[in-house]
């Protein structure tokens, strides 16, 4: 029986965090075995914050090196850069006419980012979810592994696809978001009611580039509570629940198993064990990352091969979509 299909992407903006690692990088490794999996580095999305060109280039290869360092194998899955397949932006343009302004205005991430970059609320930022819908629909996938902040975007993708299919007949597979059971939203270590985010670096955020010892310190200084009881209670003990999630995810356990393991002990014991788990994970990851990042020519070569692998389905979907909408196709593509 053939495996289900999946697609996901990560933006090459800033340095990825422990939230990215737990929310998607780790799950991606399992997806490459359970799925016909495609992973993208979404460089078009990253330009909505107008990065410095050199940073964008470095971060694009950087995300690819993290994919490889985590254990993604280009022989088992498909990895490519979004801008290498022009079908993504072409489909996004078509889908723009099947998306309502009101739908985009309701997107939480758009509202957050507009506040954060209030001097640069560009059209790309607004249209961002339509490009994400194009990414997913172009590859006709069933599953989209993401952290829970992307659920709203995947829901919109389903709405756009359903609308299009109802108008023109079956064209796009309706995708489903898959979020990890543990760590779908890793929280800031200092403000555990907010998501850990690369846009808020500091003591509450662990970057994958942090020295392992300094990451460990951030964990031992994480905000908890004064209840002094080890229990998994994200509403009342959000800081503690976050540490339990981090420890559980890195050790492939459930939060309940972690609670059992540390029952009756002080928070310090859980903090020390979590700090050690994080430091050890970062140390291994950074060693692997360094072994890949220096061979830029090889990374570019692999990215190009990935784009070639992904292009057949992308082109087929785009042509089918254009045909349905009523474009006159060049005779070679009929
Ligand atoms: P991005 O680059 O912001 O984040 C990449 C993925 O990491 C997850 N994530 C987290 N998970 C758990 N805890 C956290 N603190 C945390 N922070 C980030 C995100 O949920 C995301 O899955 N729009 C997407 C990129 C994208 C995409 C796509 C994803 C573009 N096209 C198509 C899936 C399919 C984004 O900005 O992710």
């Amino acid at each position: 029986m053939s495996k289900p299909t999946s697609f996901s992407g990560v933006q090459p903006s800033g340095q990825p965090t422990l939230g990215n690692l737990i929310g998607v990088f780790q799950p991606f490794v399992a997806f490459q075995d359970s799925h016909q999996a495609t992973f993208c580095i979404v460089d078009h999305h990253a330009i909505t914050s107008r990065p410095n060109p050199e940073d964008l280039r470095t971060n694009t290869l950087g995300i690819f090196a993290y994919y490889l360092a985590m254990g993604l194998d280009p022989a088992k899955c498909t990895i490519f850069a979004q801008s290498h397949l022009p079908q993504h932006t072409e489909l996004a343009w078509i889908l723009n006419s099947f998306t309502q302004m009101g739908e985009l205005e309701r997107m939480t991430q758009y509202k957050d980012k507009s506040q954060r970059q209030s001097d640069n609320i560009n059209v790309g930022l607004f249209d961002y979810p339509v490009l994400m819908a194009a990414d997913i629909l172009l590859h006709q996938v069933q599953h989209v592994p993401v952290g829970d902040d992307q659920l709203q975007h995947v829901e919109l993708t389903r709405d756009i696809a359903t609308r299009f299919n109802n108008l023109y007949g079956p064209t796009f597979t309706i995708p489903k978001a898959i979020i990890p059971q543990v760590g779908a939203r890793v929280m800031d270590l200092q403000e555990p009611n907010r998501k850990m985010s690369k846009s808020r670096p500091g003591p509450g955020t662990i970057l994958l580039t942090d020295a392992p010892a300094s990451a460990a310190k951030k964990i031992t200084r994480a905000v908890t509570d004064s209840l002094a009881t080890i229990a998994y209670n994200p509403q009342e003990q959000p800081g503690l629940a976050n540490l339990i999630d981090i420890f559980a995810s890195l050790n492939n356990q459930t939060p309940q198993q972690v609670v059992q393991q540390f029952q009756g002990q002080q928070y310090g014991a859980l903090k020390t064990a979590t700090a050690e788990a994080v430091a050890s994970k970062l140390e291994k990851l950074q060693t692997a990352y360094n072994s890949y990042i220096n061979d830029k020519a090889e990374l570019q070569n692999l990215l190009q091969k990935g784009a070639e692998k992904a292009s057949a389905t992308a082109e087929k979907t785009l042509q089918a979509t254009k045909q349905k909408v009523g474009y006159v196709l060049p005779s070679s593509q009929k």
Side-chain angles (χ1 to χ4, degrees), residues 89-101 104 123 126-131 160:
T89 40
E90 201 172 341
L91 182 62
W93 176 257
I94 295 174
L95 297 181
N96 274 332
S97 293
F98 299 89
T99 310
Q100 300 305 119
M101 297 283 286
L104 295 182
V123 177
F126 187 64
D127 204 26
Y128 180 110
V130 181
L131 179 58
I160 296 171

Side-chain angles (χ1 to χ4, degrees), residues 203-264:
T205 301
I206 291 180
L207 299 177
L208 300 188
T209 45
D210 280 353
S214 105
K217 234 180 232 159
K218 288 181 184 177
I219 295 281
T220 50
R221 291 179 183 164
V223 166
T224 48
D225 56 71
S226 51
L227 297 178
T229 307
I230 300 252
Y232 187 67
N233 196 342
Q235 296 302 323
E236 279 155 43
Q237 296 174 278
L240 186 68
N242 194 34
L243 292 176
I244 292 174
D245 277 343
I246 294 170
F247 185 85
S249 173
L250 293 177
N251 289 289
N252 205 10
Q253 293 181 358
T254 63
Q256 291 67 31
Q257 286 171 319
V258 178
V259 169
Q260 243 170 24
Q261 183 178 336
F262 289 93
Q263 200 85 71

Side-chain angles (χ1 to χ4, degrees), residues 182-224:
V182 182
R185 178 175 284 255
V186 175
M187 308 307 277
D188 188 286
L189 299 167
Q190 291 299 317
E191 296 175 65
N193 289 312
R194 301 173 72 158
K195 187 189 73 154
M196 183 183 286
S197 165
K198 50 189 151 194
S199 61
R200 230 173 323 101
T205 301
I206 291 180
L207 299 177
L208 300 188
T209 45
D210 280 353
S214 105
K217 234 180 232 159
K218 288 181 184 177
I219 295 281
T220 50
R221 291 179 183 164
V223 166
T224 48

Side-chain angles (χ1 to χ4, degrees), residues 12 41 55-68 81 84 289 292-293 295-301 303:
I41 303 153
D55 288 350
L56 180 60
R57 269 188 282 275
T58 306
N59 290 337
T60 300
L61 294 182
I63 294 293
F64 189 32
Y66 277 117
Y67 279 163
L68 298 176
H84 289 185
Y289 174 88
Y292 290 113
I293 195 64
D295 195 350
K296 302 233 166 19
E298 176 62 2
L299 290 176
Q300 293 200 23
N301 176 30
L303 273 184

